[in-house]
Amino acid sequence: MTYRSSTGQSIVHARYRELLADWPVPSEQRLVDTRQGPTFVVSSGPAAAPPLILLHGSAGTTLDWSNDVPALSREFRVHAIDTISEPGLSASPRPELGSPAYAEWLDDVLDGLRVDQFSVVGFSLGAWFAVDYATRRPGRVQRLALLSPAGFSRMKVLPILPALLLRPFGQWGHRRSVATIIGPLPAGLDWENLSFALLVQKHFAARTGAMPTFTDEQLEKLDLLAIVGSKDRMFDAAGTARRLPGRSVIVEGAGHLLPPQTERVLEFLR
């Protein structure tokens, strides 16, 4: 079960739909049938433009891309996907990481969207899904822009208890508790987005356990750029950069949640 209760799921989904109403550009929202159940997708940008798939991180939703979509959708047909087993509006099955199930699920989504070859932007766990798919479907993924990617370096032990102790102290406490877990927050982070993330955290049971690490052999043939924060408290950013000489960028002073990287991503995707 991905939510702790059906009531909690209803609360999160109701708020999610409210926030989706403010999607910053014209869009099409749909449910795509897959072997894992329905998958929710928000599509924006010219129908004839090159396709770009967006995959959010753990405990995330398509809302995580709302600040990037205006620029990305000027050049691409952007499909922001709610990953299965996460808190959005897609189905809840949670196959084992490392199994072929996620690639097969994404096959179904892409077929439903009538997308053949594409580029992808993935954040954290979404970056892991992107690389996993690219290694299983050679030639189908053109370029991968990976933000704070999982699967490249060791995952750190997170300071959960100190973060919980900060929660009672209002907005300041919430911001500090999140920063304790993932590293410094970007300047100007919207409180509404952060409060939704905290609502999700309250009701959603995020996945636990180590993520499979990709081998050098798997990565060497991929056209990718990894962007990491020097103060990421979830993953060893320096370790990721060492594995990808010439294919990585370290953002000094940034945590797991990076400041806007849209222009850097666009430059790479072009």
Side-chain angles (χ1 to χ4, degrees), residues 77-113:
R77 177 62 171 173
V78 177
H79 303 288
I81 299 173
D82 270 355
T83 307
I84 55 169
S85 78
E86 296 299 325
L89 301 178
S90 295
S92 59
R94 185 172 282 176
E96 182 180 355
L97 289 176
S99 76
Y102 289 99
E104 292 167 352
W105 158 75
L106 195 51
D107 281 338
D108 294 342
V109 176
L110 295 168
D111 288 347
L113 296 173

PDB file of all heavy atoms in Angstrom, residues 77-113:
ATOM      1  N   ARG A  77       7.297  18.814 -27.335  1.00  0.00           N
ATOM      2  CA  ARG A  77       6.012  18.303 -26.878  1.00  0.00           C
ATOM      3  C   ARG A  77       6.317  17.571 -25.574  1.00  0.00           C
ATOM      4  O   ARG A  77       6.905  16.485 -25.575  1.00  0.00           O
ATOM      5  CB  ARG A  77       5.418  17.344 -27.903  1.00  0.00           C
ATOM      6  CG  ARG A  77       4.088  16.706 -27.472  1.00  0.00           C
ATOM      7  CD  ARG A  77       2.997  17.745 -27.258  1.00  0.00           C
ATOM      8  NE  ARG A  77       1.691  17.095 -27.057  1.00  0.00           N
ATOM      9  CZ  ARG A  77       0.586  17.749 -26.714  1.00  0.00           C
ATOM     10  NH1 ARG A  77       0.622  19.067 -26.543  1.00  0.00           N
ATOM     11  NH2 ARG A  77      -0.545  17.106 -26.575  1.00  0.00           N
ATOM     12  N   VAL A  78       5.972  18.182 -24.473  1.00  0.00           N
ATOM     13  CA  VAL A  78       6.389  17.717 -23.151  1.00  0.00           C
ATOM     14  C   VAL A  78       5.304  16.844 -22.538  1.00  0.00           C
ATOM     15  O   VAL A  78       4.135  17.243 -22.456  1.00  0.00           O
ATOM     16  CB  VAL A  78       6.682  18.918 -22.229  1.00  0.00           C
ATOM     17  CG1 VAL A  78       7.054  18.436 -20.831  1.00  0.00           C
ATOM     18  CG2 VAL A  78       7.799  19.776 -22.810  1.00  0.00           C
ATOM     19  N   HIS A  79       5.692  15.656 -22.088  1.00  0.00           N
ATOM     20  CA  HIS A  79       4.784  14.745 -21.402  1.00  0.00           C
ATOM     21  C   HIS A  79       5.307  14.530 -19.979  1.00  0.00           C
ATOM     22  O   HIS A  79       6.319  13.844 -19.779  1.00  0.00           O
ATOM     23  CB  HIS A  79       4.703  13.408 -22.131  1.00  0.00           C
ATOM     24  CG  HIS A  79       4.275  13.505 -23.561  1.00  0.00           C
ATOM     25  ND1 HIS A  79       2.976  13.799 -23.931  1.00  0.00           N
ATOM     26  CD2 HIS A  79       4.980  13.355 -24.713  1.00  0.00           C
ATOM     27  CE1 HIS A  79       2.895  13.820 -25.254  1.00  0.00           C
ATOM     28  NE2 HIS A  79       4.093  13.556 -25.759  1.00  0.00           N
ATOM     29  N   ALA A  80       4.644  15.138 -19.008  1.00  0.00           N
ATOM     30  CA  ALA A  80       5.008  14.967 -17.600  1.00  0.00           C
ATOM     31  C   ALA A  80       4.180  13.810 -17.045  1.00  0.00           C
ATOM     32  O   ALA A  80       2.945  13.854 -17.047  1.00  0.00           O
ATOM     33  CB  ALA A  80       4.746  16.247 -16.816  1.00  0.00           C
ATOM     34  N   ILE A  81       4.861  12.778 -16.570  1.00  0.00           N
ATOM     35  CA  ILE A  81       4.209  11.518 -16.207  1.00  0.00           C
ATOM     36  C   ILE A  81       4.207  11.326 -14.689  1.00  0.00           C
ATOM     37  O   ILE A  81       5.245  11.463 -14.040  1.00  0.00           O
ATOM     38  CB  ILE A  81       4.941  10.332 -16.874  1.00  0.00           C
ATOM     39  CG1 ILE A  81       4.887  10.478 -18.395  1.00  0.00           C
ATOM     40  CG2 ILE A  81       4.339   9.001 -16.436  1.00  0.00           C
ATOM     41  CD1 ILE A  81       5.730   9.443 -19.132  1.00  0.00           C
ATOM     42  N   ASP A  82       3.039  10.990 -14.145  1.00  0.00           N
ATOM     43  CA  ASP A  82       2.963  10.534 -12.760  1.00  0.00           C
ATOM     44  C   ASP A  82       3.391   9.073 -12.722  1.00  0.00           C
ATOM     45  O   ASP A  82       2.695   8.199 -13.261  1.00  0.00           O
ATOM     46  CB  ASP A  82       1.525  10.641 -12.228  1.00  0.00           C
ATOM     47  CG  ASP A  82       1.223  11.974 -11.574  1.00  0.00           C
ATOM     48  OD1 ASP A  82       2.146  12.797 -11.447  1.00  0.00           O
ATOM     49  OD2 ASP A  82       0.057  12.190 -11.206  1.00  0.00           O
ATOM     50  N   THR A  83       4.527   8.803 -12.103  1.00  0.00           N
ATOM     51  CA  THR A  83       5.031   7.435 -12.043  1.00  0.00           C
ATOM     52  C   THR A  83       4.109   6.554 -11.206  1.00  0.00           C
ATOM     53  O   THR A  83       3.561   6.993 -10.193  1.00  0.00           O
ATOM     54  CB  THR A  83       6.442   7.424 -11.431  1.00  0.00           C
ATOM     55  OG1 THR A  83       7.270   8.337 -12.157  1.00  0.00           O
ATOM     56  CG2 THR A  83       7.057   6.041 -11.493  1.00  0.00           C
ATOM     57  N   ILE A  84       3.947   5.304 -11.617  1.00  0.00           N
ATOM     58  CA  ILE A  84       3.217   4.352 -10.787  1.00  0.00           C
ATOM     59  C   ILE A  84       3.930   4.188  -9.448  1.00  0.00           C
ATOM     60  O   ILE A  84       5.131   4.414  -9.343  1.00  0.00           O
ATOM     61  CB  ILE A  84       3.084   2.981 -11.471  1.00  0.00           C
ATOM     62  CG1 ILE A  84       4.465   2.435 -11.880  1.00  0.00           C
ATOM     63  CG2 ILE A  84       2.150   3.050 -12.662  1.00  0.00           C
ATOM     64  CD1 ILE A  84       4.433   0.984 -12.314  1.00  0.00           C
ATOM     65  N   SER A  85       3.155   3.827  -8.443  1.00  0.00           N
ATOM     66  CA  SER A  85       3.653   3.573  -7.079  1.00  0.00           C
ATOM     67  C   SER A  85       4.033   4.836  -6.331  1.00  0.00           C
ATOM     68  O   SER A  85       4.578   4.770  -5.238  1.00  0.00           O
ATOM     69  CB  SER A  85       4.847   2.610  -7.075  1.00  0.00           C
ATOM     70  OG  SER A  85       6.056   3.238  -7.450  1.00  0.00           O
ATOM     71  N   GLU A  86       3.736   6.011  -6.912  1.00  0.00           N
ATOM     72  CA  GLU A  86       4.049   7.281  -6.279  1.00  0.00           C
ATOM     73  C   GLU A  86       2.744   8.025  -5.954  1.00  0.00           C
ATOM     74  O   GLU A  86       1.665   7.533  -6.256  1.00  0.00           O
ATOM     75  CB  GLU A  86       4.978   8.093  -7.183  1.00  0.00           C
ATOM     76  CG  GLU A  86       6.352   7.450  -7.395  1.00  0.00           C
ATOM     77  CD  GLU A  86       7.142   7.264  -6.108  1.00  0.00           C
ATOM     78  OE1 GLU A  86       7.030   8.118  -5.215  1.00  0.00           O
ATOM     79  OE2 GLU A  86       7.845   6.245  -5.983  1.00  0.00           O
ATOM     80  N   PRO A  87       2.783   9.215  -5.333  1.00  0.00           N
ATOM     81  CA  PRO A  87       1.566   9.804  -4.770  1.00  0.00           C
ATOM     82  C   PRO A  87       0.608  10.459  -5.751  1.00  0.00           C
ATOM     83  O   PRO A  87      -0.464  10.912  -5.343  1.00  0.00           O
ATOM     84  CB  PRO A  87       2.109  10.857  -3.795  1.00  0.00           C
ATOM     85  CG  PRO A  87       3.462  11.194  -4.289  1.00  0.00           C
ATOM     86  CD  PRO A  87       3.991   9.934  -4.875  1.00  0.00           C
ATOM     87  N   GLY A  88       0.945  10.505  -7.044  1.00  0.00           N
ATOM     88  CA  GLY A  88       0.080  11.170  -8.003  1.00  0.00           C
ATOM     89  C   GLY A  88      -1.157  10.362  -8.349  1.00  0.00           C
ATOM     90  O   GLY A  88      -1.637   9.530  -7.577  1.00  0.00           O
ATOM     91  N   LEU A  89      -1.679  10.571  -9.555  1.00  0.00           N
ATOM     92  CA  LEU A  89      -2.956   9.998  -9.960  1.00  0.00           C
ATOM     93  C   LEU A  89      -2.816   8.715 -10.766  1.00  0.00           C
ATOM     94  O   LEU A  89      -3.790   8.235 -11.352  1.00  0.00           O
ATOM     95  CB  LEU A  89      -3.753  11.037 -10.765  1.00  0.00           C
ATOM     96  CG  LEU A  89      -4.050  12.349 -10.027  1.00  0.00           C
ATOM     97  CD1 LEU A  89      -4.797  13.311 -10.937  1.00  0.00           C
ATOM     98  CD2 LEU A  89      -4.837  12.087  -8.745  1.00  0.00           C
ATOM     99  N   SER A  90      -1.617   8.154 -10.803  1.00  0.00           N
ATOM    100  CA  SER A  90      -1.400   6.882 -11.488  1.00  0.00           C
ATOM    101  C   SER A  90      -1.663   5.708 -10.547  1.00  0.00           C
ATOM    102  O   SER A  90      -1.855   5.887  -9.339  1.00  0.00           O
ATOM    103  CB  SER A  90       0.032   6.808 -12.033  1.00  0.00           C
ATOM    104  OG  SER A  90       0.238   7.780 -13.038  1.00  0.00           O
ATOM    105  N   ALA A  91      -1.656   4.509 -11.113  1.00  0.00           N
ATOM    106  CA  ALA A  91      -1.920   3.295 -10.333  1.00  0.00           C
ATOM    107  C   ALA A  91      -0.839   3.076  -9.280  1.00  0.00           C
ATOM    108  O   ALA A  91       0.263   3.631  -9.360  1.00  0.00           O
ATOM    109  CB  ALA A  91      -2.007   2.098 -11.275  1.00  0.00           C
ATOM    110  N   SER A  92      -1.160   2.250  -8.293  1.00  0.00           N
ATOM    111  CA  SER A  92      -0.292   2.120  -7.118  1.00  0.00           C
ATOM    112  C   SER A  92       0.630   0.907  -7.070  1.00  0.00           C
ATOM    113  O   SER A  92       1.402   0.784  -6.112  1.00  0.00           O
ATOM    114  CB  SER A  92      -1.150   2.118  -5.850  1.00  0.00           C
ATOM    115  OG  SER A  92      -2.072   1.044  -5.887  1.00  0.00           O
ATOM    116  N   PRO A  93       0.613  -0.037  -8.027  1.00  0.00           N
ATOM    117  CA  PRO A  93       1.554  -1.167  -7.917  1.00  0.00           C
ATOM    118  C   PRO A  93       2.991  -0.692  -7.768  1.00  0.00           C
ATOM    119  O   PRO A  93       3.386   0.316  -8.362  1.00  0.00           O
ATOM    120  CB  PRO A  93       1.358  -1.918  -9.238  1.00  0.00           C
ATOM    121  CG  PRO A  93      -0.043  -1.611  -9.633  1.00  0.00           C
ATOM    122  CD  PRO A  93      -0.263  -0.182  -9.199  1.00  0.00           C
ATOM    123  N   ARG A  94       3.777  -1.427  -6.967  1.00  0.00           N
ATOM    124  CA  ARG A  94       5.162  -1.041  -6.720  1.00  0.00           C
ATOM    125  C   ARG A  94       6.072  -2.235  -7.008  1.00  0.00           C
ATOM    126  O   ARG A  94       6.528  -2.935  -6.096  1.00  0.00           O
ATOM    127  CB  ARG A  94       5.331  -0.552  -5.275  1.00  0.00           C
ATOM    128  CG  ARG A  94       6.716  -0.014  -4.963  1.00  0.00           C
ATOM    129  CD  ARG A  94       6.751   0.641  -3.581  1.00  0.00           C
ATOM    130  NE  ARG A  94       6.163   1.975  -3.600  1.00  0.00           N
ATOM    131  CZ  ARG A  94       6.003   2.737  -2.513  1.00  0.00           C
ATOM    132  NH1 ARG A  94       6.364   2.280  -1.330  1.00  0.00           N
ATOM    133  NH2 ARG A  94       5.473   3.945  -2.618  1.00  0.00           N
ATOM    134  N   PRO A  95       6.351  -2.490  -8.295  1.00  0.00           N
ATOM    135  CA  PRO A  95       7.261  -3.589  -8.633  1.00  0.00           C
ATOM    136  C   PRO A  95       8.651  -3.370  -8.043  1.00  0.00           C
ATOM    137  O   PRO A  95       9.031  -2.246  -7.701  1.00  0.00           O
ATOM    138  CB  PRO A  95       7.307  -3.556 -10.160  1.00  0.00           C
ATOM    139  CG  PRO A  95       6.096  -2.782 -10.578  1.00  0.00           C
ATOM    140  CD  PRO A  95       5.858  -1.795  -9.485  1.00  0.00           C
ATOM    141  N   GLU A  96       9.402  -4.428  -7.958  1.00  0.00           N
ATOM    142  CA  GLU A  96      10.765  -4.339  -7.416  1.00  0.00           C
ATOM    143  C   GLU A  96      11.660  -3.553  -8.372  1.00  0.00           C
ATOM    144  O   GLU A  96      11.647  -3.771  -9.587  1.00  0.00           O
ATOM    145  CB  GLU A  96      11.324  -5.744  -7.212  1.00  0.00           C
ATOM    146  CG  GLU A  96      12.716  -5.776  -6.617  1.00  0.00           C
ATOM    147  CD  GLU A  96      13.232  -7.193  -6.425  1.00  0.00           C
ATOM    148  OE1 GLU A  96      12.459  -8.137  -6.667  1.00  0.00           O
ATOM    149  OE2 GLU A  96      14.410  -7.343  -6.045  1.00  0.00           O
ATOM    150  N   LEU A  97      12.445  -2.640  -7.801  1.00  0.00           N
ATOM    151  CA  LEU A  97      13.421  -1.915  -8.614  1.00  0.00           C
ATOM    152  C   LEU A  97      14.458  -2.903  -9.153  1.00  0.00           C
ATOM    153  O   LEU A  97      14.933  -3.777  -8.430  1.00  0.00           O
ATOM    154  CB  LEU A  97      14.121  -0.835  -7.779  1.00  0.00           C
ATOM    155  CG  LEU A  97      13.284   0.385  -7.397  1.00  0.00           C
ATOM    156  CD1 LEU A  97      14.094   1.317  -6.494  1.00  0.00           C
ATOM    157  CD2 LEU A  97      12.807   1.140  -8.630  1.00  0.00           C
ATOM    158  N   GLY A  98      14.810  -2.744 -10.394  1.00  0.00           N
ATOM    159  CA  GLY A  98      15.751  -3.663 -11.024  1.00  0.00           C
ATOM    160  C   GLY A  98      15.063  -4.722 -11.852  1.00  0.00           C
ATOM    161  O   GLY A  98      15.709  -5.412 -12.648  1.00  0.00           O
ATOM    162  N   SER A  99      13.754  -4.876 -11.685  1.00  0.00           N
ATOM    163  CA  SER A  99      12.995  -5.814 -12.516  1.00  0.00           C
ATOM    164  C   SER A  99      12.648  -5.131 -13.842  1.00  0.00           C
ATOM    165  O   SER A  99      12.733  -3.908 -13.954  1.00  0.00           O
ATOM    166  CB  SER A  99      11.708  -6.222 -11.792  1.00  0.00           C
ATOM    167  OG  SER A  99      10.746  -5.171 -11.849  1.00  0.00           O
ATOM    168  N   PRO A 100      12.211  -5.898 -14.838  1.00  0.00           N
ATOM    169  CA  PRO A 100      11.837  -5.277 -16.113  1.00  0.00           C
ATOM    170  C   PRO A 100      10.498  -4.550 -16.072  1.00  0.00           C
ATOM    171  O   PRO A 100      10.094  -3.925 -17.054  1.00  0.00           O
ATOM    172  CB  PRO A 100      11.770  -6.454 -17.090  1.00  0.00           C
ATOM    173  CG  PRO A 100      11.823  -7.685 -16.288  1.00  0.00           C
ATOM    174  CD  PRO A 100      12.187  -7.355 -14.888  1.00  0.00           C
ATOM    175  N   ALA A 101       9.802  -4.584 -14.928  1.00  0.00           N
ATOM    176  CA  ALA A 101       8.424  -4.104 -14.864  1.00  0.00           C
ATOM    177  C   ALA A 101       8.288  -2.625 -15.199  1.00  0.00           C
ATOM    178  O   ALA A 101       7.331  -2.213 -15.873  1.00  0.00           O
ATOM    179  CB  ALA A 101       7.846  -4.381 -13.479  1.00  0.00           C
ATOM    180  N   TYR A 102       9.235  -1.787 -14.732  1.00  0.00           N
ATOM    181  CA  TYR A 102       9.104  -0.348 -14.975  1.00  0.00           C
ATOM    182  C   TYR A 102       9.342  -0.006 -16.445  1.00  0.00           C
ATOM    183  O   TYR A 102       8.681   0.885 -16.996  1.00  0.00           O
ATOM    184  CB  TYR A 102      10.052   0.430 -14.067  1.00  0.00           C
ATOM    185  CG  TYR A 102       9.615   0.395 -12.628  1.00  0.00           C
ATOM    186  CD1 TYR A 102      10.199  -0.487 -11.725  1.00  0.00           C
ATOM    187  CD2 TYR A 102       8.590   1.212 -12.167  1.00  0.00           C
ATOM    188  CE1 TYR A 102       9.781  -0.543 -10.399  1.00  0.00           C
ATOM    189  CE2 TYR A 102       8.161   1.168 -10.843  1.00  0.00           C
ATOM    190  CZ  TYR A 102       8.766   0.287  -9.968  1.00  0.00           C
ATOM    191  OH  TYR A 102       8.347   0.224  -8.657  1.00  0.00           O
ATOM    192  N   ALA A 103      10.264  -0.685 -17.085  1.00  0.00           N
ATOM    193  CA  ALA A 103      10.483  -0.456 -18.520  1.00  0.00           C
ATOM    194  C   ALA A 103       9.267  -0.907 -19.319  1.00  0.00           C
ATOM    195  O   ALA A 103       8.852  -0.236 -20.276  1.00  0.00           O
ATOM    196  CB  ALA A 103      11.734  -1.193 -18.986  1.00  0.00           C
ATOM    197  N   GLU A 104       8.671  -2.026 -18.940  1.00  0.00           N
ATOM    198  CA  GLU A 104       7.477  -2.507 -19.633  1.00  0.00           C
ATOM    199  C   GLU A 104       6.307  -1.542 -19.428  1.00  0.00           C
ATOM    200  O   GLU A 104       5.533  -1.285 -20.359  1.00  0.00           O
ATOM    201  CB  GLU A 104       7.126  -3.898 -19.131  1.00  0.00           C
ATOM    202  CG  GLU A 104       8.150  -4.948 -19.533  1.00  0.00           C
ATOM    203  CD  GLU A 104       7.983  -6.271 -18.792  1.00  0.00           C
ATOM    204  OE1 GLU A 104       7.155  -6.325 -17.850  1.00  0.00           O
ATOM    205  OE2 GLU A 104       8.680  -7.234 -19.153  1.00  0.00           O
ATOM    206  N   TRP A 105       6.189  -1.021 -18.207  1.00  0.00           N
ATOM    207  CA  TRP A 105       5.157  -0.019 -17.935  1.00  0.00           C
ATOM    208  C   TRP A 105       5.357   1.222 -18.804  1.00  0.00           C
ATOM    209  O   TRP A 105       4.408   1.721 -19.425  1.00  0.00           O
ATOM    210  CB  TRP A 105       5.202   0.366 -16.456  1.00  0.00           C
ATOM    211  CG  TRP A 105       4.589   1.702 -16.161  1.00  0.00           C
ATOM    212  CD1 TRP A 105       3.262   2.011 -16.130  1.00  0.00           C
ATOM    213  CD2 TRP A 105       5.294   2.921 -15.881  1.00  0.00           C
ATOM    214  NE1 TRP A 105       3.083   3.352 -15.837  1.00  0.00           N
ATOM    215  CE2 TRP A 105       4.316   3.929 -15.686  1.00  0.00           C
ATOM    216  CE3 TRP A 105       6.635   3.264 -15.766  1.00  0.00           C
ATOM    217  CZ2 TRP A 105       4.650   5.254 -15.386  1.00  0.00           C
ATOM    218  CZ3 TRP A 105       6.970   4.568 -15.472  1.00  0.00           C
ATOM    219  CH2 TRP A 105       5.992   5.544 -15.289  1.00  0.00           C
ATOM    220  N   LEU A 106       6.612   1.694 -18.898  1.00  0.00           N
ATOM    221  CA  LEU A 106       6.875   2.879 -19.702  1.00  0.00           C
ATOM    222  C   LEU A 106       6.657   2.594 -21.184  1.00  0.00           C
ATOM    223  O   LEU A 106       6.225   3.482 -21.933  1.00  0.00           O
ATOM    224  CB  LEU A 106       8.296   3.387 -19.440  1.00  0.00           C
ATOM    225  CG  LEU A 106       8.618   4.809 -19.918  1.00  0.00           C
ATOM    226  CD1 LEU A 106       7.582   5.818 -19.440  1.00  0.00           C
ATOM    227  CD2 LEU A 106      10.012   5.224 -19.449  1.00  0.00           C
ATOM    228  N   ASP A 107       6.926   1.367 -21.640  1.00  0.00           N
ATOM    229  CA  ASP A 107       6.572   0.985 -23.010  1.00  0.00           C
ATOM    230  C   ASP A 107       5.093   1.269 -23.275  1.00  0.00           C
ATOM    231  O   ASP A 107       4.727   1.847 -24.306  1.00  0.00           O
ATOM    232  CB  ASP A 107       6.814  -0.513 -23.232  1.00  0.00           C
ATOM    233  CG  ASP A 107       8.272  -0.871 -23.472  1.00  0.00           C
ATOM    234  OD1 ASP A 107       9.047   0.013 -23.883  1.00  0.00           O
ATOM    235  OD2 ASP A 107       8.625  -2.047 -23.252  1.00  0.00           O
ATOM    236  N   ASP A 108       4.246   0.852 -22.334  1.00  0.00           N
ATOM    237  CA  ASP A 108       2.806   1.022 -22.507  1.00  0.00           C
ATOM    238  C   ASP A 108       2.422   2.510 -22.531  1.00  0.00           C
ATOM    239  O   ASP A 108       1.558   2.925 -23.314  1.00  0.00           O
ATOM    240  CB  ASP A 108       2.051   0.322 -21.371  1.00  0.00           C
ATOM    241  CG  ASP A 108       2.215  -1.189 -21.394  1.00  0.00           C
ATOM    242  OD1 ASP A 108       2.606  -1.733 -22.438  1.00  0.00           O
ATOM    243  OD2 ASP A 108       1.953  -1.829 -20.352  1.00  0.00           O
ATOM    244  N   VAL A 109       3.046   3.300 -21.642  1.00  0.00           N
ATOM    245  CA  VAL A 109       2.758   4.732 -21.613  1.00  0.00           C
ATOM    246  C   VAL A 109       3.144   5.372 -22.947  1.00  0.00           C
ATOM    247  O   VAL A 109       2.370   6.138 -23.541  1.00  0.00           O
ATOM    248  CB  VAL A 109       3.495   5.429 -20.454  1.00  0.00           C
ATOM    249  CG1 VAL A 109       3.249   6.933 -20.495  1.00  0.00           C
ATOM    250  CG2 VAL A 109       3.053   4.862 -19.107  1.00  0.00           C
ATOM    251  N   LEU A 110       4.325   5.066 -23.426  1.00  0.00           N
ATOM    252  CA  LEU A 110       4.807   5.654 -24.676  1.00  0.00           C
ATOM    253  C   LEU A 110       3.940   5.223 -25.858  1.00  0.00           C
ATOM    254  O   LEU A 110       3.659   6.018 -26.757  1.00  0.00           O
ATOM    255  CB  LEU A 110       6.260   5.251 -24.906  1.00  0.00           C
ATOM    256  CG  LEU A 110       7.254   5.808 -23.874  1.00  0.00           C
ATOM    257  CD1 LEU A 110       8.605   5.116 -24.008  1.00  0.00           C
ATOM    258  CD2 LEU A 110       7.404   7.314 -24.023  1.00  0.00           C
ATOM    259  N   ASP A 111       3.510   3.970 -25.849  1.00  0.00           N
ATOM    260  CA  ASP A 111       2.608   3.511 -26.910  1.00  0.00           C
ATOM    261  C   ASP A 111       1.298   4.294 -26.869  1.00  0.00           C
ATOM    262  O   ASP A 111       0.762   4.697 -27.908  1.00  0.00           O
ATOM    263  CB  ASP A 111       2.327   2.012 -26.760  1.00  0.00           C
ATOM    264  CG  ASP A 111       3.523   1.145 -27.117  1.00  0.00           C
ATOM    265  OD1 ASP A 111       4.484   1.676 -27.716  1.00  0.00           O
ATOM    266  OD2 ASP A 111       3.504  -0.051 -26.776  1.00  0.00           O
ATOM    267  N   GLY A 112       0.783   4.522 -25.654  1.00  0.00           N
ATOM    268  CA  GLY A 112      -0.448   5.276 -25.511  1.00  0.00           C
ATOM    269  C   GLY A 112      -0.311   6.718 -25.966  1.00  0.00           C
ATOM    270  O   GLY A 112      -1.267   7.324 -26.465  1.00  0.00           O
ATOM    271  N   LEU A 113       0.891   7.274 -25.802  1.00  0.00           N
ATOM    272  CA  LEU A 113       1.166   8.649 -26.232  1.00  0.00           C
ATOM    273  C   LEU A 113       1.605   8.726 -27.694  1.00  0.00           C
ATOM    274  O   LEU A 113       1.807   9.819 -28.222  1.00  0.00           O
ATOM    275  CB  LEU A 113       2.261   9.261 -25.346  1.00  0.00           C
ATOM    276  CG  LEU A 113       1.924   9.429 -23.863  1.00  0.00           C
ATOM    277  CD1 LEU A 113       3.167   9.879 -23.097  1.00  0.00           C
ATOM    278  CD2 LEU A 113       0.791  10.427 -23.669  1.00  0.00           C
TER     279      LEU A 113
END
